[in-house]
Amino acid sequence: MKPPYYAVIFTSVRTNVEQGYAEMSNLMVDMAKQQEGFLGVESARNEIGITVSYWKDLESIKNWKNNVDHLQAQRMGKQKWYESYKVRIALVEREYDFEV
Amino acid sequence: MKPPYYAVIFTSVRTNVEQGYAEMSNLMVDMAKQQEGFLGVESARNEIGITVSYWKDLESIKNWKNNVDHLQAQRMGKQKWYESYKVRIALVEREYDFEV
């Protein structure tokens, strides 16, 4: 990944409904990885969840957002698994890292 | 928060050194909140940690990055607490949310 590229920052608060969540979550990550323009994904959760996915451009984000299976997952997410969530679409301009 | 504004996406892998980490982490969040241009922060950790802080502009990000106490915390982070980390600076162009 070399900037510029896009990050989709998905922050969420879950309901206490576990049924089907892990399976759907894993399936969506697997499907996202197969999308044109997908660059990577990172996820962490304790009180809240933060998932950041990285994409080549806005077009690839839009295509994934409107993917039929993903739309169905989004509907189920609102009905069952999420109390609230927020999606931010952001252009990564710069990055730097550290490794021991 | 109304776009456009900036997100700093900080992803990290911790060492197993706990000593002083929570205190410093809380202190840095408290100090960040007092900075000009600070808009908010969200954090989650399990295998990896993701902290996203939100800022009015690049100037406020730069000021916080170069804050003397924060520089000291960054040095200690590299020496003790982080195995690796990555920082991405991204312009939030759009956002939408969902609430039950």
Short mmCIF file of all heavy atoms in Angstrom, two decimals, chain B residues 28-89:
data_model
loop_
_atom_site.label_atom_id
_atom_site.label_comp_id
_atom_site.label_asym_id
_atom_site.label_seq_id
_atom_site.Cartn_x
_atom_site.Cartn_y
_atom_site.Cartn_z
N MET B 28 -1.94 10.31 27.59
CA MET B 28 -1.86 10.86 26.23
C MET B 28 -3.25 11.18 25.67
O MET B 28 -3.42 12.20 25.00
CB MET B 28 -1.10 9.89 25.31
CG MET B 28 0.39 9.86 25.54
SD MET B 28 1.17 11.53 25.40
CE MET B 28 1.70 11.80 27.09
N VAL B 29 -4.22 10.34 25.99
CA VAL B 29 -5.59 10.64 25.55
C VAL B 29 -6.09 11.92 26.21
O VAL B 29 -6.66 12.80 25.54
CB VAL B 29 -6.55 9.45 25.84
CG1 VAL B 29 -8.00 9.85 25.65
CG2 VAL B 29 -6.20 8.27 24.94
N ASP B 30 -5.83 12.05 27.52
CA ASP B 30 -6.25 13.26 28.23
C ASP B 30 -5.58 14.51 27.63
O ASP B 30 -6.22 15.55 27.49
CB ASP B 30 -5.90 13.16 29.72
CG ASP B 30 -6.80 12.18 30.45
OD1 ASP B 30 -7.85 11.80 29.87
OD2 ASP B 30 -6.46 11.77 31.57
N MET B 31 -4.30 14.37 27.31
CA MET B 31 -3.58 15.51 26.75
C MET B 31 -4.05 15.83 25.33
O MET B 31 -4.19 17.00 24.96
CB MET B 31 -2.07 15.25 26.74
CG MET B 31 -1.46 15.32 28.13
SD MET B 31 0.35 15.30 28.05
CE MET B 31 0.66 16.81 27.12
N ALA B 32 -4.28 14.80 24.54
CA ALA B 32 -4.75 15.01 23.17
C ALA B 32 -6.07 15.79 23.16
O ALA B 32 -6.28 16.70 22.35
CB ALA B 32 -4.91 13.67 22.44
N LYS B 33 -6.93 15.42 24.12
CA LYS B 33 -8.25 16.07 24.20
C LYS B 33 -8.14 17.58 24.44
O LYS B 33 -9.07 18.32 24.13
CB LYS B 33 -9.08 15.44 25.32
CG LYS B 33 -9.61 14.06 24.96
CD LYS B 33 -10.40 13.43 26.10
CE LYS B 33 -10.93 12.06 25.66
NZ LYS B 33 -11.55 11.30 26.77
N GLN B 34 -7.03 17.98 25.01
CA GLN B 34 -6.85 19.41 25.29
C GLN B 34 -6.22 20.18 24.13
O GLN B 34 -6.05 21.39 24.20
CB GLN B 34 -5.99 19.59 26.55
CG GLN B 34 -6.66 19.07 27.80
CD GLN B 34 -5.68 18.90 28.95
OE1 GLN B 34 -4.75 19.69 29.10
NE2 GLN B 34 -5.87 17.87 29.75
N GLN B 35 -5.80 19.46 23.09
CA GLN B 35 -5.14 20.13 21.98
C GLN B 35 -6.14 20.88 21.11
O GLN B 35 -7.26 20.42 20.90
CB GLN B 35 -4.41 19.11 21.08
CG GLN B 35 -3.37 18.28 21.78
CD GLN B 35 -2.29 19.11 22.42
OE1 GLN B 35 -1.64 19.89 21.73
NE2 GLN B 35 -2.10 18.97 23.72
N GLU B 36 -5.67 21.99 20.61
CA GLU B 36 -6.42 22.73 19.59
C GLU B 36 -6.66 21.82 18.37
O GLU B 36 -5.72 21.18 17.90
CB GLU B 36 -5.57 23.95 19.18
CG GLU B 36 -6.10 24.79 18.06
CD GLU B 36 -7.34 25.59 18.45
OE1 GLU B 36 -7.48 25.93 19.65
OE2 GLU B 36 -8.16 25.84 17.55
N GLY B 37 -7.89 21.77 17.93
CA GLY B 37 -8.19 21.01 16.71
C GLY B 37 -8.55 19.55 16.95
O GLY B 37 -8.91 18.85 16.01
N PHE B 38 -8.49 19.10 18.21
CA PHE B 38 -8.87 17.72 18.53
C PHE B 38 -10.39 17.57 18.43
O PHE B 38 -11.13 18.37 19.01
CB PHE B 38 -8.40 17.36 19.94
CG PHE B 38 -8.85 15.99 20.39
CD1 PHE B 38 -8.10 14.87 20.09
CD2 PHE B 38 -10.01 15.84 21.13
CE1 PHE B 38 -8.50 13.61 20.51
CE2 PHE B 38 -10.43 14.59 21.55
CZ PHE B 38 -9.67 13.47 21.24
N LEU B 39 -10.86 16.52 17.75
CA LEU B 39 -12.30 16.33 17.58
C LEU B 39 -12.84 15.09 18.27
O LEU B 39 -14.03 15.01 18.58
CB LEU B 39 -12.64 16.24 16.08
CG LEU B 39 -12.25 17.45 15.22
CD1 LEU B 39 -12.57 17.18 13.75
CD2 LEU B 39 -12.99 18.70 15.69
N GLY B 40 -11.98 14.09 18.50
CA GLY B 40 -12.47 12.87 19.13
C GLY B 40 -11.48 11.73 18.98
O GLY B 40 -10.50 11.85 18.24
N VAL B 41 -11.74 10.64 19.71
CA VAL B 41 -10.85 9.47 19.62
C VAL B 41 -11.65 8.21 19.92
O VAL B 41 -12.58 8.23 20.75
CB VAL B 41 -9.63 9.61 20.57
CG1 VAL B 41 -10.06 9.68 22.03
CG2 VAL B 41 -8.62 8.49 20.36
N GLU B 42 -11.33 7.13 19.23
CA GLU B 42 -11.97 5.83 19.45
C GLU B 42 -10.88 4.77 19.43
O GLU B 42 -9.94 4.85 18.63
CB GLU B 42 -12.98 5.53 18.35
CG GLU B 42 -14.12 6.53 18.31
CD GLU B 42 -15.08 6.29 17.17
OE1 GLU B 42 -14.65 6.39 16.00
OE2 GLU B 42 -16.25 6.03 17.44
N SER B 43 -11.02 3.76 20.29
CA SER B 43 -9.97 2.78 20.46
C SER B 43 -10.54 1.40 20.70
O SER B 43 -11.56 1.26 21.36
CB SER B 43 -9.16 3.19 21.70
OG SER B 43 -7.80 3.24 21.42
N ALA B 44 -9.88 0.39 20.16
CA ALA B 44 -10.24 -1.00 20.44
C ALA B 44 -8.98 -1.84 20.35
O ALA B 44 -8.06 -1.51 19.59
CB ALA B 44 -11.29 -1.50 19.44
N ARG B 45 -8.94 -2.89 21.16
CA ARG B 45 -7.77 -3.78 21.09
C ARG B 45 -8.17 -5.21 21.43
O ARG B 45 -8.91 -5.44 22.37
CB ARG B 45 -6.68 -3.32 22.08
CG ARG B 45 -5.47 -4.28 22.14
CD ARG B 45 -4.35 -3.78 23.04
NE ARG B 45 -3.79 -2.52 22.59
CZ ARG B 45 -2.91 -2.40 21.58
NH1 ARG B 45 -2.51 -3.45 20.92
NH2 ARG B 45 -2.46 -1.21 21.24
N ASN B 46 -7.73 -6.15 20.61
CA ASN B 46 -7.63 -7.55 21.04
C ASN B 46 -6.29 -8.07 20.50
O ASN B 46 -5.28 -7.79 21.14
CB ASN B 46 -8.85 -8.41 20.71
CG ASN B 46 -9.51 -8.07 19.39
OD1 ASN B 46 -8.85 -7.67 18.43
ND2 ASN B 46 -10.80 -8.26 19.30
N GLU B 47 -6.25 -8.79 19.38
CA GLU B 47 -4.92 -9.20 18.88
C GLU B 47 -4.08 -7.98 18.48
O GLU B 47 -2.89 -7.92 18.73
CB GLU B 47 -5.04 -10.13 17.67
CG GLU B 47 -5.55 -11.52 18.01
CD GLU B 47 -7.07 -11.56 18.07
OE1 GLU B 47 -7.72 -10.68 17.45
OE2 GLU B 47 -7.61 -12.45 18.76
N ILE B 48 -4.70 -7.06 17.80
CA ILE B 48 -4.03 -5.79 17.48
C ILE B 48 -4.81 -4.66 18.13
O ILE B 48 -5.94 -4.85 18.59
CB ILE B 48 -3.92 -5.55 15.95
CG1 ILE B 48 -5.31 -5.34 15.32
CG2 ILE B 48 -3.18 -6.69 15.26
CD1 ILE B 48 -5.27 -4.71 13.95
N GLY B 49 -4.21 -3.50 18.17
CA GLY B 49 -4.90 -2.33 18.65
C GLY B 49 -5.15 -1.38 17.50
O GLY B 49 -4.32 -1.25 16.60
N ILE B 50 -6.31 -0.76 17.50
CA ILE B 50 -6.60 0.29 16.52
C ILE B 50 -7.12 1.50 17.30
O ILE B 50 -8.09 1.39 18.05
CB ILE B 50 -7.67 -0.14 15.49
CG1 ILE B 50 -7.25 -1.44 14.78
CG2 ILE B 50 -7.89 0.98 14.47
CD1 ILE B 50 -8.28 -1.93 13.75
N THR B 51 -6.44 2.61 17.15
CA THR B 51 -6.91 3.87 17.73
C THR B 51 -7.06 4.85 16.59
O THR B 51 -6.13 5.04 15.79
CB THR B 51 -5.91 4.42 18.76
OG1 THR B 51 -5.82 3.51 19.85
CG2 THR B 51 -6.35 5.79 19.28
N VAL B 52 -8.24 5.43 16.48
CA VAL B 52 -8.46 6.45 15.46
C VAL B 52 -8.75 7.76 16.17
O VAL B 52 -9.68 7.83 16.98
CB VAL B 52 -9.62 6.10 14.51
CG1 VAL B 52 -9.64 7.07 13.33
CG2 VAL B 52 -9.52 4.67 14.00
N SER B 53 -7.92 8.75 15.94
CA SER B 53 -8.20 10.08 16.48
C SER B 53 -8.59 11.00 15.34
O SER B 53 -8.19 10.80 14.19
CB SER B 53 -7.01 10.64 17.27
OG SER B 53 -5.86 10.72 16.47
N TYR B 54 -9.42 11.98 15.67
CA TYR B 54 -9.99 12.86 14.66
C TYR B 54 -9.56 14.29 14.92
O TYR B 54 -9.54 14.73 16.09
CB TYR B 54 -11.52 12.75 14.65
CG TYR B 54 -11.98 11.32 14.45
CD1 TYR B 54 -12.42 10.55 15.52
CD2 TYR B 54 -11.93 10.72 13.20
CE1 TYR B 54 -12.81 9.22 15.35
CE2 TYR B 54 -12.32 9.40 13.00
CZ TYR B 54 -12.75 8.65 14.09
OH TYR B 54 -13.13 7.34 13.92
N TRP B 55 -9.21 15.00 13.86
CA TRP B 55 -8.61 16.32 13.98
C TRP B 55 -9.16 17.26 12.92
O TRP B 55 -9.52 16.84 11.83
CB TRP B 55 -7.08 16.21 13.82
CG TRP B 55 -6.46 15.31 14.84
CD1 TRP B 55 -6.33 13.94 14.76
CD2 TRP B 55 -5.91 15.69 16.12
NE1 TRP B 55 -5.74 13.46 15.90
CE2 TRP B 55 -5.46 14.51 16.75
CE3 TRP B 55 -5.75 16.91 16.77
CZ2 TRP B 55 -4.87 14.51 18.02
CZ3 TRP B 55 -5.15 16.91 18.03
CH2 TRP B 55 -4.72 15.73 18.64
N LYS B 56 -9.13 18.54 13.30
CA LYS B 56 -9.66 19.57 12.40
C LYS B 56 -8.84 19.71 11.12
O LYS B 56 -9.40 19.90 10.03
CB LYS B 56 -9.63 20.90 13.17
CG LYS B 56 -10.35 22.04 12.50
CD LYS B 56 -10.32 23.28 13.40
CE LYS B 56 -10.54 24.53 12.59
NZ LYS B 56 -9.57 25.58 12.88
N ASP B 57 -7.51 19.64 11.26
CA ASP B 57 -6.66 19.87 10.08
C ASP B 57 -5.26 19.28 10.30
O ASP B 57 -4.94 18.80 11.39
CB ASP B 57 -6.57 21.38 9.77
CG ASP B 57 -6.20 22.20 10.99
OD1 ASP B 57 -5.51 21.67 11.88
OD2 ASP B 57 -6.61 23.37 11.06
N LEU B 58 -4.44 19.34 9.27
CA LEU B 58 -3.08 18.77 9.36
C LEU B 58 -2.22 19.51 10.37
O LEU B 58 -1.36 18.91 11.03
CB LEU B 58 -2.40 18.82 7.98
CG LEU B 58 -2.91 17.82 6.94
CD1 LEU B 58 -2.25 18.09 5.58
CD2 LEU B 58 -2.63 16.38 7.38
N GLU B 59 -2.45 20.79 10.50
CA GLU B 59 -1.69 21.61 11.44
C GLU B 59 -1.86 21.10 12.87
O GLU B 59 -0.89 20.98 13.61
CB GLU B 59 -2.19 23.07 11.31
CG GLU B 59 -1.49 24.08 12.20
CD GLU B 59 -0.05 24.36 11.77
OE1 GLU B 59 0.32 23.98 10.64
OE2 GLU B 59 0.69 24.95 12.57
N SER B 60 -3.09 20.80 13.25
CA SER B 60 -3.32 20.33 14.62
C SER B 60 -2.71 18.94 14.83
O SER B 60 -2.22 18.64 15.93
CB SER B 60 -4.82 20.34 14.97
OG SER B 60 -5.58 19.67 14.01
N ILE B 61 -2.71 18.10 13.81
CA ILE B 61 -2.06 16.78 13.91
C ILE B 61 -0.56 16.95 14.11
O ILE B 61 0.06 16.30 14.95
CB ILE B 61 -2.34 15.95 12.64
CG1 ILE B 61 -3.82 15.60 12.56
CG2 ILE B 61 -1.49 14.68 12.61
CD1 ILE B 61 -4.25 14.99 11.24
N LYS B 62 0.01 17.85 13.33
CA LYS B 62 1.46 18.09 13.41
C LYS B 62 1.84 18.64 14.79
O LYS B 62 2.84 18.22 15.39
CB LYS B 62 1.84 19.10 12.31
CG LYS B 62 3.32 19.25 12.10
CD LYS B 62 3.56 20.23 10.95
CE LYS B 62 4.84 21.03 11.17
NZ LYS B 62 4.90 22.20 10.27
N ASN B 63 1.05 19.56 15.30
CA ASN B 63 1.33 20.12 16.63
C ASN B 63 1.30 19.04 17.71
O ASN B 63 2.15 19.02 18.59
CB ASN B 63 0.33 21.22 16.97
CG ASN B 63 0.58 22.48 16.17
OD1 ASN B 63 1.67 22.68 15.62
ND2 ASN B 63 -0.44 23.32 16.06
N TRP B 64 0.33 18.16 17.62
CA TRP B 64 0.24 17.08 18.61
C TRP B 64 1.40 16.09 18.45
O TRP B 64 2.01 15.67 19.43
CB TRP B 64 -1.11 16.38 18.52
CG TRP B 64 -1.22 15.17 19.40
CD1 TRP B 64 -1.58 13.91 19.02
CD2 TRP B 64 -0.97 15.08 20.82
NE1 TRP B 64 -1.57 13.06 20.09
CE2 TRP B 64 -1.19 13.75 21.21
CE3 TRP B 64 -0.58 16.01 21.79
CZ2 TRP B 64 -1.04 13.30 22.52
CZ3 TRP B 64 -0.42 15.57 23.11
CH2 TRP B 64 -0.65 14.23 23.46
N LYS B 65 1.74 15.77 17.22
CA LYS B 65 2.86 14.84 16.97
C LYS B 65 4.14 15.39 17.59
O LYS B 65 4.96 14.63 18.10
CB LYS B 65 3.03 14.65 15.46
CG LYS B 65 4.12 13.64 15.09
CD LYS B 65 4.09 13.33 13.61
CE LYS B 65 4.99 12.14 13.27
NZ LYS B 65 6.42 12.42 13.38
N ASN B 66 4.33 16.70 17.53
CA ASN B 66 5.57 17.31 18.01
C ASN B 66 5.51 17.87 19.43
O ASN B 66 6.45 18.48 19.91
CB ASN B 66 6.00 18.42 17.03
CG ASN B 66 6.34 17.85 15.67
OD1 ASN B 66 6.89 16.76 15.57
ND2 ASN B 66 5.98 18.57 14.62
N ASN B 67 4.37 17.66 20.09
CA ASN B 67 4.25 18.03 21.50
C ASN B 67 5.35 17.33 22.32
O ASN B 67 5.60 16.14 22.15
CB ASN B 67 2.86 17.58 21.98
CG ASN B 67 2.66 17.77 23.47
OD1 ASN B 67 3.20 17.01 24.26
ND2 ASN B 67 1.88 18.76 23.84
N VAL B 68 6.01 18.08 23.19
CA VAL B 68 7.17 17.56 23.91
C VAL B 68 6.85 16.32 24.74
O VAL B 68 7.59 15.32 24.71
CB VAL B 68 7.77 18.66 24.83
CG1 VAL B 68 8.87 18.06 25.72
CG2 VAL B 68 8.34 19.79 24.00
N ASP B 69 5.76 16.34 25.47
CA ASP B 69 5.39 15.18 26.28
C ASP B 69 5.00 13.98 25.40
O ASP B 69 5.29 12.83 25.72
CB ASP B 69 4.22 15.53 27.21
CG ASP B 69 4.61 16.60 28.21
OD1 ASP B 69 5.73 16.51 28.76
OD2 ASP B 69 3.82 17.54 28.43
N HIS B 70 4.37 14.29 24.29
CA HIS B 70 3.97 13.23 23.36
C HIS B 70 5.21 12.61 22.69
O HIS B 70 5.27 11.39 22.49
CB HIS B 70 2.99 13.80 22.32
CG HIS B 70 2.35 12.75 21.45
ND1 HIS B 70 1.80 13.05 20.23
CD2 HIS B 70 2.17 11.42 21.63
CE1 HIS B 70 1.32 11.92 19.70
NE2 HIS B 70 1.52 10.93 20.52
N LEU B 71 6.19 13.43 22.37
CA LEU B 71 7.44 12.91 21.80
C LEU B 71 8.12 11.94 22.76
O LEU B 71 8.60 10.88 22.36
CB LEU B 71 8.40 14.06 21.46
CG LEU B 71 8.08 14.87 20.20
CD1 LEU B 71 9.03 16.07 20.09
CD2 LEU B 71 8.17 14.01 18.94
N GLN B 72 8.11 12.30 24.03
CA GLN B 72 8.69 11.43 25.06
C GLN B 72 7.90 10.11 25.14
O GLN B 72 8.49 9.02 25.21
CB GLN B 72 8.68 12.16 26.41
CG GLN B 72 9.07 11.30 27.60
CD GLN B 72 10.51 10.80 27.53
OE1 GLN B 72 11.28 11.18 26.65
NE2 GLN B 72 10.86 9.91 28.45
N ALA B 73 6.58 10.20 25.07
CA ALA B 73 5.74 9.00 25.09
C ALA B 73 6.01 8.13 23.86
O ALA B 73 6.05 6.90 23.94
CB ALA B 73 4.26 9.39 25.15
N GLN B 74 6.21 8.77 22.72
CA GLN B 74 6.51 8.01 21.49
C GLN B 74 7.83 7.26 21.62
O GLN B 74 7.96 6.10 21.22
CB GLN B 74 6.58 8.97 20.28
CG GLN B 74 5.21 9.54 19.88
CD GLN B 74 5.34 10.66 18.85
OE1 GLN B 74 5.95 10.52 17.80
NE2 GLN B 74 4.78 11.82 19.16
N ARG B 75 8.83 7.92 22.22
CA ARG B 75 10.13 7.25 22.44
C ARG B 75 9.97 6.04 23.35
O ARG B 75 10.49 4.96 23.08
CB ARG B 75 11.13 8.24 23.06
CG ARG B 75 11.90 9.07 22.03
CD ARG B 75 13.05 9.83 22.69
NE ARG B 75 12.56 10.85 23.64
CZ ARG B 75 12.26 12.11 23.31
NH1 ARG B 75 12.38 12.52 22.06
NH2 ARG B 75 11.83 12.96 24.22
N MET B 76 9.24 6.23 24.44
CA MET B 76 9.04 5.12 25.38
C MET B 76 8.22 4.00 24.72
O MET B 76 8.46 2.82 24.96
CB MET B 76 8.34 5.62 26.64
CG MET B 76 9.23 6.54 27.46
SD MET B 76 8.39 7.19 28.94
CE MET B 76 8.25 5.71 29.93
N GLY B 77 7.27 4.38 23.90
CA GLY B 77 6.46 3.39 23.17
C GLY B 77 7.33 2.49 22.30
O GLY B 77 7.15 1.27 22.28
N LYS B 78 8.28 3.09 21.61
CA LYS B 78 9.17 2.30 20.74
C LYS B 78 10.11 1.42 21.56
O LYS B 78 10.45 0.32 21.16
CB LYS B 78 10.00 3.24 19.86
CG LYS B 78 9.17 3.93 18.78
CD LYS B 78 10.07 4.82 17.93
CE LYS B 78 9.24 5.67 16.98
NZ LYS B 78 10.06 6.45 16.06
N GLN B 79 10.53 1.93 22.71
CA GLN B 79 11.48 1.17 23.54
C GLN B 79 10.81 0.02 24.29
O GLN B 79 11.41 -1.03 24.49
CB GLN B 79 12.12 2.11 24.58
CG GLN B 79 13.21 3.01 24.00
CD GLN B 79 13.51 4.18 24.94
OE1 GLN B 79 13.18 4.16 26.11
NE2 GLN B 79 14.15 5.22 24.40
N LYS B 80 9.55 0.25 24.73
CA LYS B 80 8.96 -0.68 25.68
C LYS B 80 7.68 -1.37 25.24
O LYS B 80 7.49 -2.56 25.43
CB LYS B 80 8.62 0.08 26.99
CG LYS B 80 9.83 0.65 27.70
CD LYS B 80 9.40 1.54 28.87
CE LYS B 80 8.72 0.75 29.97
NZ LYS B 80 8.47 1.59 31.17
N TRP B 81 6.76 -0.58 24.71
CA TRP B 81 5.39 -1.07 24.64
C TRP B 81 4.93 -1.62 23.28
O TRP B 81 3.96 -2.35 23.21
CB TRP B 81 4.42 0.05 25.09
CG TRP B 81 4.64 0.48 26.49
CD1 TRP B 81 4.73 -0.32 27.59
CD2 TRP B 81 4.81 1.83 26.96
NE1 TRP B 81 4.93 0.43 28.72
CE2 TRP B 81 4.98 1.75 28.37
CE3 TRP B 81 4.82 3.08 26.35
CZ2 TRP B 81 5.16 2.89 29.15
CZ3 TRP B 81 5.00 4.20 27.12
CH2 TRP B 81 5.17 4.11 28.51
N TYR B 82 5.61 -1.17 22.22
CA TYR B 82 5.14 -1.58 20.89
C TYR B 82 6.15 -2.47 20.17
O TYR B 82 7.32 -2.13 20.07
CB TYR B 82 4.84 -0.35 20.02
CG TYR B 82 3.67 0.44 20.55
CD1 TYR B 82 3.84 1.72 21.05
CD2 TYR B 82 2.39 -0.12 20.56
CE1 TYR B 82 2.76 2.44 21.56
CE2 TYR B 82 1.31 0.59 21.07
CZ TYR B 82 1.50 1.87 21.57
OH TYR B 82 0.44 2.57 22.07
N GLU B 83 5.64 -3.56 19.67
CA GLU B 83 6.40 -4.43 18.79
C GLU B 83 6.48 -3.76 17.40
O GLU B 83 7.52 -3.77 16.76
CB GLU B 83 5.64 -5.77 18.69
CG GLU B 83 6.39 -6.89 18.08
CD GLU B 83 7.53 -7.38 18.98
OE1 GLU B 83 7.39 -7.33 20.22
OE2 GLU B 83 8.55 -7.79 18.42
N SER B 84 5.36 -3.22 16.99
CA SER B 84 5.30 -2.51 15.70
C SER B 84 4.06 -1.62 15.70
O SER B 84 3.12 -1.86 16.46
CB SER B 84 5.21 -3.50 14.54
OG SER B 84 4.02 -4.25 14.64
N TYR B 85 4.12 -0.61 14.91
CA TYR B 85 2.90 0.19 14.70
C TYR B 85 2.93 0.88 13.35
O TYR B 85 3.98 0.97 12.70
CB TYR B 85 2.66 1.19 15.83
CG TYR B 85 3.67 2.30 16.01
CD1 TYR B 85 3.76 3.35 15.11
CD2 TYR B 85 4.51 2.32 17.11
CE1 TYR B 85 4.66 4.38 15.29
CE2 TYR B 85 5.43 3.34 17.31
CZ TYR B 85 5.50 4.37 16.38
OH TYR B 85 6.40 5.39 16.57
N LYS B 86 1.77 1.33 12.96
CA LYS B 86 1.64 2.05 11.70
C LYS B 86 0.71 3.23 11.92
O LYS B 86 -0.30 3.10 12.61
CB LYS B 86 1.08 1.10 10.63
CG LYS B 86 1.08 1.68 9.24
CD LYS B 86 1.09 0.57 8.20
CE LYS B 86 1.47 1.09 6.84
NZ LYS B 86 1.94 0.01 5.95
N VAL B 87 1.06 4.35 11.34
CA VAL B 87 0.24 5.54 11.44
C VAL B 87 -0.16 5.97 10.04
O VAL B 87 0.68 6.07 9.15
CB VAL B 87 1.02 6.69 12.12
CG1 VAL B 87 0.16 7.95 12.19
CG2 VAL B 87 1.50 6.29 13.51
N ARG B 88 -1.46 6.17 9.87
CA ARG B 88 -1.96 6.67 8.58
C ARG B 88 -2.71 7.97 8.81
O ARG B 88 -3.52 8.07 9.74
CB ARG B 88 -2.92 5.66 7.94
CG ARG B 88 -2.27 4.37 7.51
CD ARG B 88 -3.32 3.42 6.95
NE ARG B 88 -2.75 2.25 6.33
CZ ARG B 88 -2.51 1.10 6.96
NH1 ARG B 88 -2.80 0.97 8.23
NH2 ARG B 88 -2.00 0.08 6.31
N ILE B 89 -2.44 8.93 7.97
CA ILE B 89 -3.12 10.22 8.07
C ILE B 89 -4.06 10.34 6.88
O ILE B 89 -3.63 10.25 5.73
CB ILE B 89 -2.09 11.35 8.11
CG1 ILE B 89 -1.25 11.17 9.40
CG2 ILE B 89 -2.76 12.72 8.08
CD1 ILE B 89 -0.10 12.11 9.53
#
